Amino acid sequence: MDGASGAHHRDPFKSSVGRVAGQRRRQQAVTVGKERRESVVRAKRLRRADPSDHGDDGSMQLAVMGDEAAYKALEESTVNAVHNLKKLLKGSPAKRIGALQTLRHLLSCTAMPPVHVAIEAGVVTLLVDCLAFGSSEEQLFEAAWCLTNIASGDLQQTRAVEPALPLLILHLGEKSAVHVVEQCAWAIGNVAGDGEVLRDVLLKQGALHSLSRHLLSPVPSLSRTAAWALSNLIKGPSPKAAMELMKIEGMVDTLVSHVSKGEEDLVVEVAWVLVYVTSMSDLHVTLLLNAGLLPPLLGCLASSEQLSLLTPVLRTLGNIVAGDNSKTDVVLSVGQSLPGGIIGVLARCLESKHRTLQKEAAWAVSNIAAGSILQKHTVFNGGVVPPLLHLLATAVFDVRKESAYCLGNLCVAPKESREQGGIILDHLMALVDGGCLPGFIALVRSPDVEAARLGLQFLELVMRGLPNGRGPKIVEKEDGISALEELQFHENDELQTMSNTLIDHYFGEEYGLEEEYGPGMDVLRGSDDSSDYPPWRQGGGLTA
């Protein structure tokens, strides 16, 4: 079953544009793939030379100093090394390995290796020849290392490695030496991190099944590298690779076992695999939960302080609770064993100084808050409201927007509940009294269309929901009318319609007349009659 068929867990506080939770999860998974640099987990990894491994070329030591002349010398040395390798390709194995080592030193001694000149000099064809079956382990290792660093470059440089892919995949076989397998997996991981086109090439050539075998390697560095390469290979946006991975016999148990028993660096890489498989299908989530994923996953969340681990764990949790309410109930139940419960743990993440943790925690909380009425109450009473209000007022923009989703979802009742008008009034009043309105009005003024829509939707809740006509007055007091007026001629038709409708309905000619002339001039503010709702509400945009 594709994730697109799951429940609309993030949609309740959105306009009715037909986006479902599964699609949202996929978008988020792709986005977080692009943001891995923020969480200290890069999509591509250059293998640097060991500190004790200085090589023979003096220009390498000067190049790291950023000297232009030294880097030019490094480029010339690289071209000479490629030409030397070409001469020795059919010479003695020892000299050929020496030439490969020199080239590898040159491609490893700086954060910006001279990959471009090596490619122009024809290095890839030579390295493919060096990967031939029957070559020594040392030769295979050196050639794979060179290809790894070439593939760590830009798109054009990575694509230059494509002729070597079949041999790199074949050397993942069981008969290859461990250090050769690991280096080939590293090179493949860099290629997979480049984009969907090369991922498709790797999948067609069998890279996924070859890599997956090494997840069970007793050598920790190999299992880590295999997991990292697999996470790059399956990260989408197409769900095909993740679906294929999860069909491999024993894969579900393997992933759960690594989270349960693996050392922390391995769990980091496996957690990224979980991010992508849980974003692609609700069936994957069900399989993993049935295999016992939740206790160790939540244990990592509660006990670790490592940003690179907490980021994918939070994202995986957010994907799980973006499914149907029964899965969220399981998370809340298992999370009761944690200090403060799972909501308390998420509250601590919201209070972190790390922007990435704040955003991922808010994403997870918003999905729980988009669930049943009981789940909303659990979130509201679980300690997340104060940090969410603080983030809405003070955080960077993307964190403020995620926090706004959380707070908005807490105030919107699911359709099946008995809350009148689809509003959880005690939640809404508490948030308004807690000072949330300036944050939402700031979103209305944002150039981001989604954020502005979100702000407008919350203002509509406030003006419709607060009793005794308090809503429009408090919006006016916080300068909300001018924010609405700024959108009256917005280039986005939806924002323009929403703002004009709200102004006409709540601040029309009769606004203030009741206060001036007494009762009887109510303009149906707060009515539960759907015929008085703005047009976007009639589509279900603000009710779950």
Side-chain angles (χ1 to χ4, degrees):
M1 180 179 70
D2 196 318
S5 62
H8 296 218
H9 240 226
R10 248 315 268 283
D11 293 333
F13 200 60
K14 284 187 166 186
S15 61
S16 52
V17 294
R19 281 186 275 183
V20 296
Q23 292 170 323
R24 171 71 169 168
R25 291 204 307 275
R26 266 183 223 169
Q27 285 182 337
Q28 293 285 351
V30 173
T31 300
V32 83
K34 296 175 182 176
E35 294 177 347
R36 292 179 77 169
R37 194 180 301 261
E38 299 175 6
S39 55
V40 203
V41 186
R42 294 185 55 189
K44 292 186 179 183
R45 296 174 177 175
L46 175 75
R47 179 164 186 175
R48 299 293 297 274
D50 296 331
S52 60
D53 189 4
H54 300 299
D56 302 320
D57 199 302
S59 65
M60 292 187 296
Q61 302 305 313
L62 296 174
V64 297
M65 299 171 61
D67 183 277
E68 185 175 343
Y71 197 80
K72 183 67 175 176
L74 177 60
E75 291 180 327
E76 292 175 357
S77 296
T78 302
V79 173
N80 291 335
V82 174
H83 291 163
N84 188 46
L85 175 61
K86 186 175 183 180
K87 292 177 185 177
L88 297 172
L89 203 58
K90 295 184 180 180
S92 72
K95 290 184 178 180
R96 185 163 58 250
I97 291 171
L100 278 168
Q101 288 174 335
T102 298
L103 179 60
R104 184 254 293 173
H105 291 315
L106 293 162
L107 294 174
S108 307
C109 66
T110 174
M112 296 182 63
V115 169
H116 57 295
V117 296
I119 293 173
E120 291 171 2
V123 71
V124 173
T125 300
L126 303 178
L127 294 173
V128 170
D129 288 340
C130 290
L131 289 176
F133 274 88
S135 302
S136 67
E137 293 178 4
E138 192 172 5
Q139 178 173 308
L140 294 172
F141 173 73
E142 296 290 349
W145 188 339
C146 290
L147 288 164
T148 296
N149 285 2
I150 293 171
S152 72
D154 60 29
L155 174 63
Q156 186 175 1
Q157 292 166 354
T158 304
R159 288 184 175 177
V161 175
E162 187 172 347
L165 296 183
L167 284 170
L168 288 171
I169 294 170
L170 287 172
H171 286 303
L172 296 176
E174 297 176 357
K175 295 183 179 180
S176 298
V178 169
H179 67 297
V180 172
V181 172
E182 183 177 350
Q183 197 59 60
C184 289
W186 194 334
I188 290 168
N190 276 348
V191 174
D194 197 74
E196 193 172 8
V197 173
L198 285 176
R199 284 198 289 273
D200 286 343
V201 171
L202 287 166
L203 290 169
K204 289 176 182 177
Q205 294 179 357
L208 188 142
H209 285 265
S210 297
L211 283 171
S212 66
R213 287 196 297 266
H214 299 293
L215 274 180
L216 289 173
S217 171
V219 180
S221 61
L222 176 53
S223 55
R224 284 197 307 268
T225 301
W228 166 74
L230 280 170
S231 73
N232 272 352
L233 193 57
I234 67 171
K235 67 183 179 182
S238 169
K240 181 180 178 181
M243 302 286 282
E244 185 177 342
L245 177 68
M246 294 295 281
K247 289 178 183 177
I248 295 175
E249 184 177 359
M251 181 53 59
V252 173
D253 290 335
T254 297
L255 295 174
V256 172
S257 175
H258 281 324
V259 176
S260 303
K261 304 172 184 177
E263 47 90 26
E264 194 167 68
D265 289 345
L266 173 59
V267 179
V268 169
E269 306 303 351
V270 171
W272 281 109
V273 175
L274 293 172
V275 166
Y276 299 120
V277 297
T278 56
S279 73
M280 299 301 175
S281 171
D282 284 339
L283 175 59
H284 296 167
V285 174
T286 299
L287 292 172
L288 289 162
L289 294 185
N290 290 342
L293 175 65
L294 267 183
L297 186 74
L298 298 185
C300 290
L301 186 60
S303 62
S304 178
E305 297 182 357
Q306 186 177 339
L307 179 63
S308 59
L309 175 59
L310 291 174
T311 300
V313 167
L314 278 169
R315 175 52 58 114
T316 299
L317 178 64
N319 288 342
I320 292 171
V321 295
D324 58 70
N325 289 343
S326 64
K327 293 183 176 64
T328 302
D329 283 336
V330 173
V331 170
L332 293 173
S333 176
V334 174
Q336 288 179 348
S337 63
L338 304 177
I342 182 60
I343 305 302
V345 173
L346 291 171
R348 291 193 288 275
C349 292
L350 290 170
E351 293 167 346
S352 165
K353 297 184 182 300
H354 294 288
R355 165 187 165 271
T356 301
L357 288 189
Q358 295 169 349
K359 184 178 179 182
E360 295 302 334
W363 153 253
V365 172
S366 69
N367 282 335
I368 300 174
S372 68
I373 195 74
L374 180 59
Q375 290 165 0
K376 292 172 186 287
H377 287 322
T378 300
V379 171
F380 187 82
N381 296 319
V384 296
V385 170
L388 285 172
L389 289 172
H390 178 72
L391 292 174
L392 178 65
T394 64
V396 295
F397 176 74
D398 57 346
V399 176
R400 285 193 288 122
K401 189 162 74 170
E402 287 294 342
S403 301
Y405 269 119
C406 297
L407 296 169
N409 281 338
L410 286 173
C411 299
V412 181
K415 287 181 179 180
E416 65 272 14
S417 77
R418 296 180 180 178
E419 302 289 338
Q420 290 187 347
I423 295 176
I424 305 176
L425 188 56
D426 55 340
H427 291 186
L428 180 62
M429 292 178 66
L431 295 184
V432 172
D433 291 343
C436 74
L437 263 184
F440 278 100
I441 291 172
L443 292 181
V444 172
R445 289 192 163 100
S446 164
D448 182 272
V449 171
E450 182 183 3
R453 183 193 303 116
L454 176 59
L456 287 172
Q457 289 175 321
F458 192 83
L459 293 189
E460 192 271 340
L461 283 180
V462 170
M463 292 188 289
R464 176 168 56 89
L466 295 190
N468 303 319
R470 182 187 171 202
K473 294 174 184 176
I474 194 171
V475 168
E476 179 183 24
K477 181 180 177 181
E478 297 293 346
D479 202 26
I481 295 179
S482 66
L484 292 172
E485 289 174 341
E486 290 174 15
L487 298 180
Q488 284 187 293
F489 302 99
H490 197 279
E491 61 183 14
N492 182 277
D493 291 340
E494 183 186 11
L495 295 183
Q496 186 181 127
T497 299
M498 291 173 73
S499 60
N500 280 308
T501 302
L502 291 177
I503 289 172
D504 291 345
H505 189 71
Y506 293 103
F507 304 105
E509 293 179 358
E510 296 182 355
Y511 177 64
L513 292 182
E514 181 181 357
E515 185 174 307
E516 184 173 350
Y517 295 106
M521 299 302 294
D522 186 14
V523 290
L524 298 179
R525 296 191 193 106
S527 170
D528 293 329
D529 182 357
S530 63
S531 64
D532 289 312
Y533 290 171
W536 66 89
R537 287 215 66 252
Q538 296 174 21
L542 284 177
T543 56

